[in-house]
Amino acid sequence: MTTETLASLSEGDVLSRIFPRLPAASAQLLGPGDDAAVVAAGDGRFVVTTDMMVHGPDFRLAWSTPHDLGWKAAATNLSDVAAMGAVPTALVVAIAAPPHTPIEMIEGIADGLRDCCAALAPGCGVVGGDLSASATLTLAVTAFGDLQGRAPVLRSGARAGDTIAAAGVLGEAGRGLALLFRQAVTNDGTPDAGLAEAVRAAQPGLIAAQLAPSPPVGLGAVAARAGATGMLDVSDGLAIDAGRLARASGVAVDFDSGQLGDDPDAVLHGGEDHALLATFPAGTALPDGFRALGVIRDGAGQVLVDGQPHDQRGWDPYRGWDGAAG
């Protein structure tokens, strides 16, 4: 049987194959087919964010299935919308792929986008995008969200005395990635699909946390309604992202080591968790799904653990995992 590739199909053919697989958005007034979509803007404002995934620095085809890629591309953007206290409403997706790419891969990506939206942000859908050719498989997603009449929750709102809390899993994505680099590469360091499948079978939770994360998207709006003063998505590591919140707010984030679990280093410095890190006024009952990690103190952009300065090492796209801030 001959494999259909992107080069054997026209752009119109490819679109006709993936449009039926993509989810419609509840806020969609006009979907794919024209030069642009039309989406309802809720209370008259919308939150917008964008993120890219590039083969090599962001994923390995030997490790990720097409469904994983679509899921993760959606999840990382949905989490950013949630971190503003908004409800995701629509995605715009651009895919650049080598012409020899089998059409089944693009269909699988579309299925991942659909399933992630259905699981993490019901009502959010894909309203448009673009297709192009490239030597490197690249996915770019732009996400929109509805604040539902609330003020956005910013990184700059934390105040001394606030409780710092998290929702979602911390540390497992980084542990999953480390496991793949240890056990799913050949002797010369090349990622290997067969080895990756064995690792996935042995540690499904850790590998899913890295390749197809499930951030607590719905808890962003919950935190906003509960009075969160500051919030952000933990994508590059808890320590480095906490430092960003600390600098934006002009405070110090002081983590209680007793709340960081059995592997504090993985929790503090593992990346791609896509948990939500939020601050709440002292005495506020934390919403279900959030757990206290420490307290906000007077300071100037510091990250502390048990009152002692801690490095803000995490992921930087230009410096890798050894980048430290502050």
PDB file of all heavy atoms in Angstrom, residues 61-77:
ATOM      1  N   LEU A  61      10.585  13.065  17.549  1.00  0.00           N
ATOM      2  CA  LEU A  61       9.611  12.208  16.879  1.00  0.00           C
ATOM      3  C   LEU A  61       9.775  10.744  17.276  1.00  0.00           C
ATOM      4  O   LEU A  61       8.811   9.974  17.234  1.00  0.00           O
ATOM      5  CB  LEU A  61       9.735  12.357  15.363  1.00  0.00           C
ATOM      6  CG  LEU A  61       9.173  13.660  14.788  1.00  0.00           C
ATOM      7  CD1 LEU A  61       9.546  13.799  13.321  1.00  0.00           C
ATOM      8  CD2 LEU A  61       7.662  13.703  14.966  1.00  0.00           C
ATOM      9  N   ALA A  62      10.982  10.352  17.667  1.00  0.00           N
ATOM     10  CA  ALA A  62      11.198   8.976  18.097  1.00  0.00           C
ATOM     11  C   ALA A  62      10.500   8.682  19.424  1.00  0.00           C
ATOM     12  O   ALA A  62      10.232   7.519  19.740  1.00  0.00           O
ATOM     13  CB  ALA A  62      12.697   8.697  18.228  1.00  0.00           C
ATOM     14  N   TRP A  63      10.201   9.725  20.193  1.00  0.00           N
ATOM     15  CA  TRP A  63       9.592   9.526  21.507  1.00  0.00           C
ATOM     16  C   TRP A  63       8.106   9.850  21.523  1.00  0.00           C
ATOM     17  O   TRP A  63       7.341   9.239  22.257  1.00  0.00           O
ATOM     18  CB  TRP A  63      10.292  10.392  22.551  1.00  0.00           C
ATOM     19  CG  TRP A  63      11.718  10.017  22.811  1.00  0.00           C
ATOM     20  CD1 TRP A  63      12.347   8.849  22.473  1.00  0.00           C
ATOM     21  CD2 TRP A  63      12.698  10.810  23.490  1.00  0.00           C
ATOM     22  NE1 TRP A  63      13.660   8.874  22.886  1.00  0.00           N
ATOM     23  CE2 TRP A  63      13.904  10.063  23.520  1.00  0.00           C
ATOM     24  CE3 TRP A  63      12.688  12.076  24.072  1.00  0.00           C
ATOM     25  CZ2 TRP A  63      15.062  10.538  24.110  1.00  0.00           C
ATOM     26  CZ3 TRP A  63      13.847  12.557  24.666  1.00  0.00           C
ATOM     27  CH2 TRP A  63      15.027  11.798  24.693  1.00  0.00           C
ATOM     28  N   SER A  64       7.692  10.846  20.757  1.00  0.00           N
ATOM     29  CA  SER A  64       6.308  11.318  20.802  1.00  0.00           C
ATOM     30  C   SER A  64       5.502  10.752  19.643  1.00  0.00           C
ATOM     31  O   SER A  64       5.967  10.716  18.500  1.00  0.00           O
ATOM     32  CB  SER A  64       6.270  12.854  20.718  1.00  0.00           C
ATOM     33  OG  SER A  64       6.875  13.445  21.851  1.00  0.00           O
ATOM     34  N   THR A  65       4.273  10.329  19.925  1.00  0.00           N
ATOM     35  CA  THR A  65       3.349   9.970  18.850  1.00  0.00           C
ATOM     36  C   THR A  65       2.751  11.254  18.279  1.00  0.00           C
ATOM     37  O   THR A  65       2.789  12.314  18.927  1.00  0.00           O
ATOM     38  CB  THR A  65       2.216   9.100  19.384  1.00  0.00           C
ATOM     39  OG1 THR A  65       1.397   9.882  20.271  1.00  0.00           O
ATOM     40  CG2 THR A  65       2.746   7.878  20.123  1.00  0.00           C
ATOM     41  N   PRO A  66       2.186  11.205  17.071  1.00  0.00           N
ATOM     42  CA  PRO A  66       1.491  12.388  16.556  1.00  0.00           C
ATOM     43  C   PRO A  66       0.398  12.884  17.510  1.00  0.00           C
ATOM     44  O   PRO A  66       0.221  14.089  17.688  1.00  0.00           O
ATOM     45  CB  PRO A  66       0.915  11.901  15.226  1.00  0.00           C
ATOM     46  CG  PRO A  66       1.862  10.834  14.779  1.00  0.00           C
ATOM     47  CD  PRO A  66       2.259  10.134  16.046  1.00  0.00           C
ATOM     48  N   HIS A  67      -0.311  11.943  18.135  1.00  0.00           N
ATOM     49  CA  HIS A  67      -1.352  12.332  19.098  1.00  0.00           C
ATOM     50  C   HIS A  67      -0.738  13.087  20.265  1.00  0.00           C
ATOM     51  O   HIS A  67      -1.288  14.104  20.728  1.00  0.00           O
ATOM     52  CB  HIS A  67      -2.096  11.092  19.585  1.00  0.00           C
ATOM     53  CG  HIS A  67      -3.336  11.385  20.377  1.00  0.00           C
ATOM     54  ND1 HIS A  67      -3.297  11.663  21.736  1.00  0.00           N
ATOM     55  CD2 HIS A  67      -4.639  11.459  20.008  1.00  0.00           C
ATOM     56  CE1 HIS A  67      -4.536  11.875  22.167  1.00  0.00           C
ATOM     57  NE2 HIS A  67      -5.366  11.771  21.140  1.00  0.00           N
ATOM     58  N   ASP A  68       0.417  12.617  20.768  1.00  0.00           N
ATOM     59  CA  ASP A  68       1.127  13.335  21.832  1.00  0.00           C
ATOM     60  C   ASP A  68       1.409  14.779  21.423  1.00  0.00           C
ATOM     61  O   ASP A  68       1.234  15.703  22.217  1.00  0.00           O
ATOM     62  CB  ASP A  68       2.477  12.666  22.136  1.00  0.00           C
ATOM     63  CG  ASP A  68       2.360  11.324  22.831  1.00  0.00           C
ATOM     64  OD1 ASP A  68       1.328  11.046  23.466  1.00  0.00           O
ATOM     65  OD2 ASP A  68       3.333  10.541  22.729  1.00  0.00           O
ATOM     66  N   LEU A  69       1.892  14.955  20.190  1.00  0.00           N
ATOM     67  CA  LEU A  69       2.282  16.288  19.731  1.00  0.00           C
ATOM     68  C   LEU A  69       1.088  17.232  19.702  1.00  0.00           C
ATOM     69  O   LEU A  69       1.176  18.380  20.158  1.00  0.00           O
ATOM     70  CB  LEU A  69       2.921  16.208  18.343  1.00  0.00           C
ATOM     71  CG  LEU A  69       4.228  15.422  18.245  1.00  0.00           C
ATOM     72  CD1 LEU A  69       4.726  15.413  16.804  1.00  0.00           C
ATOM     73  CD2 LEU A  69       5.290  16.006  19.175  1.00  0.00           C
ATOM     74  N   GLY A  70      -0.037  16.764  19.157  1.00  0.00           N
ATOM     75  CA  GLY A  70      -1.217  17.604  19.129  1.00  0.00           C
ATOM     76  C   GLY A  70      -1.721  17.923  20.522  1.00  0.00           C
ATOM     77  O   GLY A  70      -2.080  19.066  20.825  1.00  0.00           O
ATOM     78  N   TRP A  71      -1.733  16.909  21.389  1.00  0.00           N
ATOM     79  CA  TRP A  71      -2.183  17.106  22.771  1.00  0.00           C
ATOM     80  C   TRP A  71      -1.307  18.142  23.473  1.00  0.00           C
ATOM     81  O   TRP A  71      -1.812  19.086  24.086  1.00  0.00           O
ATOM     82  CB  TRP A  71      -2.158  15.771  23.507  1.00  0.00           C
ATOM     83  CG  TRP A  71      -2.623  15.852  24.937  1.00  0.00           C
ATOM     84  CD1 TRP A  71      -1.968  16.458  25.982  1.00  0.00           C
ATOM     85  CD2 TRP A  71      -3.852  15.351  25.472  1.00  0.00           C
ATOM     86  NE1 TRP A  71      -2.698  16.339  27.137  1.00  0.00           N
ATOM     87  CE2 TRP A  71      -3.862  15.671  26.853  1.00  0.00           C
ATOM     88  CE3 TRP A  71      -4.926  14.653  24.931  1.00  0.00           C
ATOM     89  CZ2 TRP A  71      -4.920  15.307  27.694  1.00  0.00           C
ATOM     90  CZ3 TRP A  71      -5.968  14.300  25.767  1.00  0.00           C
ATOM     91  CH2 TRP A  71      -5.972  14.619  27.133  1.00  0.00           C
ATOM     92  N   LYS A  72       0.010  17.961  23.398  1.00  0.00           N
ATOM     93  CA  LYS A  72       0.909  18.859  24.123  1.00  0.00           C
ATOM     94  C   LYS A  72       0.852  20.272  23.562  1.00  0.00           C
ATOM     95  O   LYS A  72       0.909  21.252  24.324  1.00  0.00           O
ATOM     96  CB  LYS A  72       2.338  18.325  24.080  1.00  0.00           C
ATOM     97  CG  LYS A  72       3.300  19.098  24.988  1.00  0.00           C
ATOM     98  CD  LYS A  72       4.634  18.397  25.123  1.00  0.00           C
ATOM     99  CE  LYS A  72       5.533  19.123  26.105  1.00  0.00           C
ATOM    100  NZ  LYS A  72       6.807  18.400  26.337  1.00  0.00           N
ATOM    101  N   ALA A  73       0.740  20.405  22.238  1.00  0.00           N
ATOM    102  CA  ALA A  73       0.650  21.739  21.644  1.00  0.00           C
ATOM    103  C   ALA A  73      -0.576  22.477  22.161  1.00  0.00           C
ATOM    104  O   ALA A  73      -0.531  23.685  22.406  1.00  0.00           O
ATOM    105  CB  ALA A  73       0.600  21.628  20.117  1.00  0.00           C
ATOM    106  N   ALA A  74      -1.691  21.753  22.322  1.00  0.00           N
ATOM    107  CA  ALA A  74      -2.889  22.374  22.889  1.00  0.00           C
ATOM    108  C   ALA A  74      -2.710  22.646  24.370  1.00  0.00           C
ATOM    109  O   ALA A  74      -2.985  23.755  24.860  1.00  0.00           O
ATOM    110  CB  ALA A  74      -4.109  21.483  22.656  1.00  0.00           C
ATOM    111  N   ALA A  75      -2.235  21.656  25.121  1.00  0.00           N
ATOM    112  CA  ALA A  75      -2.168  21.766  26.577  1.00  0.00           C
ATOM    113  C   ALA A  75      -1.296  22.924  27.041  1.00  0.00           C
ATOM    114  O   ALA A  75      -1.644  23.644  27.987  1.00  0.00           O
ATOM    115  CB  ALA A  75      -1.650  20.454  27.168  1.00  0.00           C
ATOM    116  N   THR A  76      -0.158  23.127  26.390  1.00  0.00           N
ATOM    117  CA  THR A  76       0.750  24.177  26.836  1.00  0.00           C
ATOM    118  C   THR A  76       0.146  25.564  26.648  1.00  0.00           C
ATOM    119  O   THR A  76       0.397  26.475  27.445  1.00  0.00           O
ATOM    120  CB  THR A  76       2.088  24.085  26.087  1.00  0.00           C
ATOM    121  OG1 THR A  76       1.854  24.121  24.678  1.00  0.00           O
ATOM    122  CG2 THR A  76       2.810  22.798  26.431  1.00  0.00           C
ATOM    123  N   ASN A  77      -0.665  25.718  25.630  1.00  0.00           N
ATOM    124  CA  ASN A  77      -1.324  27.003  25.405  1.00  0.00           C
ATOM    125  C   ASN A  77      -2.557  27.177  26.277  1.00  0.00           C
ATOM    126  O   ASN A  77      -2.831  28.261  26.787  1.00  0.00           O
ATOM    127  CB  ASN A  77      -1.697  27.143  23.925  1.00  0.00           C
ATOM    128  CG  ASN A  77      -0.502  27.500  23.071  1.00  0.00           C
ATOM    129  OD1 ASN A  77      -0.155  28.662  22.916  1.00  0.00           O
ATOM    130  ND2 ASN A  77       0.157  26.496  22.522  1.00  0.00           N
TER     131      ASN A  77
END
